[in-house]
Amino acid sequence: MIRKKSRREESLDHAELARLLPAPGDPHLSLDRHLLLEEHMMNEIQPTAPAPAPSRRPARRALLIGVPVTAAALAGAFAFTTLAGSGGSGTTAATPPPVEAPVVRIEPGSTAQLASTVEHIAAAASASKTPEPGPGQYIYIKSKVSYLSVRTDAYKSKTWVQPLHIREVWNSPDGKQGWLDEPGYQPKGGITLDSDVENYLGAPSYDYLKTLPTDPDALLKKIYKETKGQGNSPDQQAFTTVGDLLMEQLAPAKLNAALYRAAAKIPGVVVVDHAKDAAGREGIALARLDQQTGDRTEWIFDPKTYTYLGSRAVQVKQAYGVKPGTVTESTAVLERAVVDAQK
């Protein structure tokens, strides 16, 4: 007969697991990795407890990029789980506490103006003068962001969002070197990213993007092929992949236009006439509802120039205790440039 372990014995097992796992090289994980790894760890160490709600967004695995779940990553997830469940605020001393997510009116979406809107956006992207980064230079992206945050307390989890804050990324064209500065969410002064910047940021390098086809049909076919089996559905993952390339990367102008035209071919994509980015700028959006999580991701564009402004995720259907209208993600690209130095 198998004796059931006491809570004290389970706690000792958890502590032993944390001791045996090697310390992570960098304890910061992306939000998606935190949530996915936390769910994995909770399923392993608390099999009788209800599993936390799934990640609000599929893990950012754009095209050929894939990240193995290493022991170091699991250690980082374990630290996140135990910290959040320790009875404190669920944050470190350097991390601002999460805030309650804002709630907005759900704007209806339509396909009536999809083709014409995408052509305006693609034309603006084609006409943009994209600087070509050279050796020793960096692609610099400055954004204002707020993402979903999950606080786990014993067997319960509660959904919050991070306060709006600045995030700056420097990425070499080959994706091998970079710098990330996110005050309050990274060590003071930021962190250096070397040898694995692509996997850390979740998007391919500029050099890789230059190899992709600029024919929308061929591009979309490649995206579906390379992301097969990922995300909540093939269509949702294709939409997510295109969106990830818009945020913290600088794509060649022809590829940028092809990405928008490819996105318009994904079933379920609609136009939302009114949306607001993290900087408070009003725009028009291309959007898609994730049927599994009930939230709609919106890419927001300037209504006059059709340049990309940022993104937003709005809960459309009640799910996992998140009520409709809740904004679970908000970003705004404030600056996108090619620079000679990291700082």
Side-chain angles (χ1 to χ4, degrees):
M1 181 177 181
I2 299 175
R3 183 178 66 85
K4 184 178 180 181
K5 291 184 179 181
S6 67
R7 288 183 178 272
R8 181 175 181 276
E9 287 172 320
E10 287 181 351
S11 297
L12 290 175
D13 286 346
H14 301 171
E16 181 66 13
L17 175 62
R19 185 184 67 80
L20 292 175
L21 288 173
D26 180 87
H28 182 276
L29 298 173
S30 69
L31 171 65
D32 295 321
R33 298 300 295 161
H34 264 316
L35 296 179
L36 291 174
L37 294 174
E38 180 191 13
E39 180 178 0
H40 171 81
M41 289 298 294
M42 291 296 285
N43 287 338
E44 289 294 323
I45 66 178
Q46 294 179 351
T48 60
S55 169
R56 303 303 306 157
R57 304 177 64 242
R60 294 181 180 176
R61 294 297 115 228
L63 302 178
L64 300 179
I65 303 302
V67 180
V69 180
T70 62
L74 288 174
F78 184 81
F80 176 80
T81 302
T82 54
L83 175 65
S86 63
S89 62
T91 59
T92 65
T95 305
V99 296
E100 191 169 355
V103 178
V104 299
R105 187 179 77 86
I106 300 174
E107 185 82 16
S110 171
T111 59
Q113 302 297 322
L114 178 60
S116 60
T117 300
V118 168
E119 280 308 306
H120 283 305
I121 293 171
S126 297
S128 64
K129 299 184 182 299
T130 305
E132 180 77 15
Q137 291 188 308
Y138 294 85
I139 296 165
Y140 170 70
I141 311 292
K142 180 180 181 180
S143 306
K144 178 178 284 189
V145 303
S146 172
Y147 293 111
L148 178 83
S149 179
V150 173
R151 170 178 155 186
T152 303
D153 184 6
Y155 296 103
K156 298 179 181 178
S157 61
K158 190 167 185 178
T159 303
W160 304 81
V161 294
Q162 302 166 345
L164 284 170
H165 60 279
I166 296 296
R167 175 181 166 94
E168 296 177 280
V169 172
W170 292 257
N171 192 356
S172 62
D174 62 5
K176 299 301 181 183
Q177 292 181 313
W179 185 268
L180 171 63
D181 196 1
E182 195 171 4
Y185 296 89
Q186 296 290 346
K188 188 176 181 181
I191 60 174
T192 301
L193 307 175
D194 54 10
S195 77
D196 204 15
V197 180
E198 291 180 350
N199 282 343
Y200 194 98
L201 298 179
S205 67
Y206 181 84
D207 288 351
Y208 174 75
L209 293 182
K210 290 194 300 182
T211 70
L212 295 178
T214 55
D215 174 76
D217 291 317
L219 179 60
L220 188 59
K221 182 179 180 180
K222 183 176 181 64
I223 289 174
Y224 273 103
K225 179 181 178 181
E226 301 298 345
T227 61
K228 185 177 180 179
Q230 300 178 25
N232 292 335
S233 72
D235 294 333
Q236 185 62 34
Q237 183 59 33
F239 186 78
T240 298
T241 297
V242 175
D244 287 342
L245 298 181
L246 301 173
M247 295 177 60
E248 292 186 332
Q249 187 51 276
L250 180 70
K254 288 185 178 180
L255 177 63
N256 226 358
L259 284 167
Y260 295 128
R261 292 188 172 112
K265 298 174 181 290
I266 299 173
V269 174
V270 298
V271 173
V272 176
D273 289 333
H274 302 284
K276 187 178 292 186
D277 72 1
R281 298 175 296 193
E282 295 278 355
I284 188 170
L286 297 181
R288 191 178 193 283
L289 173 66
D290 187 327
Q291 296 292 343
Q292 181 170 323
T293 62
D295 68 337
R296 185 176 69 190
T297 299
E298 304 168 348
W299 309 335
I300 306 170
F301 301 85
D302 186 284
K304 294 181 179 179
T305 66
Y306 292 99
T307 56
Y308 179 80
L309 298 178
S311 66
R312 186 174 72 170
V314 178
Q315 194 71 23
V316 174
K317 300 179 180 179
Q318 178 90 18
Y320 311 112
V322 183
K323 65 181 180 180
T326 301
V327 177
T328 59
E329 172 189 325
S330 186
T331 76
V333 176
L334 305 179
E335 189 176 349
R336 197 189 302 262
V338 172
V339 297
D340 293 327
Q342 290 178 320
K343 299 189 75 175

